[in-house]
Amino acid sequence: MKLILLGAPGAGKGTQAEFICDKLSIPSISTGNILREAVKNGTEAGKAAKSYMDAGALVPDEVVIAILKDRIAADDCKNGFILDGFPRTVPQAEALDQMGVSIDAAIEIDVPDAVIETRLGGRRVCEKCGASYHIVNKAPAVEGICDKCGGKLIVRKDDQPETIKDRLRVYHEQTAPLADYYRKAGKLHTVDGTQEIGAITAQILKILEA
Ligand code: AMP
């Protein structure tokens, strides 16, 4: 099964990818996570990506396409994979087609901008271990402190209010057209991303069984 999850930043793609990859025993691939790791490790790709990521802009296609191509060539991808955050532009989708990757389904998780702004604005991450929290939906036991390791909770640079607006603008301009791209290919399914998390997972699994 080769699956693409589409949706705005904060639509819940990462959460759903984790649940579904568990159920289907295929890896979930997040280009955002791979890029953050590359930035942390100071690799060439990381150096090329950092300023774009901090500004809420997209990393250039050629950088991300090369990373993705490498990742899906790995052994654990031979029975399929879930792509979370790739493709994000039409040229990236075309590159995937040119690699000979035949997608089974593109699932769009639809969430209104106002909901996204509240979700991302409340997100906190541990600067030490990377664990993720939300001031309303998943608050830590002690405000500002990580439950797992006692590290300090911070707002990710790209979750600052102004950057969130930029990320949403970029999403509507460059990523939202992908819904049409996959609709024309007969692969698009849209789910309501404001539902309870378990209900969204159930709906996605039902689509995949059909
Ligand atoms: P994410 O965690 O998926 O929101 O990704 C974080 C950041 O990584 C994005 O705001 C982009 O700067 C960059 N990024 C992740 N995936 C892609 C992609 N497919 N194309 C371009 N930039 C990406």
Side-chain angles (χ1 to χ4, degrees), residues 31-32 35-36 53 57-59 64 85-86 88 92 156 167:
T31 41
L35 286 166
R36 272 186 289 277
M53 294 175 75
L58 292 185
V59 173
V64 191
F86 186 98
R88 266 211 180 50
Q92 290 179 18
R156 237 168 70 175
R167 289 167 73 195

Side-chain angles (χ1 to χ4, degrees), residues 6 21 24 38 43 47 65 71 105 112 116 148 150 153 182 202:
L6 295 174
C21 77
L24 303 181
T43 67
K47 282 181 204 155
I65 290 168
R71 179 63 188 90
I116 296 283
K148 292 185 183 145
L153 300 185
Y182 288 109

